[in-house]
Amino acid sequence: MRLSEFRQAITDEFGPAYGQVVTNDLVLVDLSDRTPQQALKAGISPREVWLAVCRAADVPPARRHGAGLPAQPRS
């Protein structure tokens, strides 16, 4: 997953406004208590950050595919 795909996945899942809040404010215990933005700046892969966001925000597994892959049907 590229950074642009990460950003698109965040927007697709949370919307543009709340996606910014998630990226800047959600503290991810799985990534040493970093926000997604801090984790990305620290060099953690966008895919790893995306999956940590999904776990923290209880995104259903069917929607964890992220950007760049065919859309999964929403249930």
Side-chain angles (χ1 to χ4, degrees):
M1 173 180 267
R2 296 173 191 246
L3 183 56
S4 61
E5 293 171 325
F6 168 82
R7 290 184 179 136
Q8 187 62 53
I10 289 285
T11 299
D12 289 349
E13 184 61 36
F14 301 105
Y18 189 59
Q20 285 295 316
V21 172
V22 168
T23 301
N24 294 322
D25 297 338
L26 180 65
V27 175
L28 302 169
V29 175
D30 291 359
L31 300 179
S32 303
D33 295 327
R34 294 180 174 116
T35 66
Q37 186 64 30
Q38 291 168 333
L40 292 166
K41 285 184 179 179
I44 297 172
S45 76
R47 184 74 179 161
E48 187 175 346
V49 177
W50 167 244
L51 292 174
V53 168
C54 289
R55 289 188 297 273
D58 292 324
V59 173
R63 293 200 317 254
R64 293 183 184 187
H65 58 85
L69 298 174
Q72 301 290 321
R74 288 196 167 210
S75 33

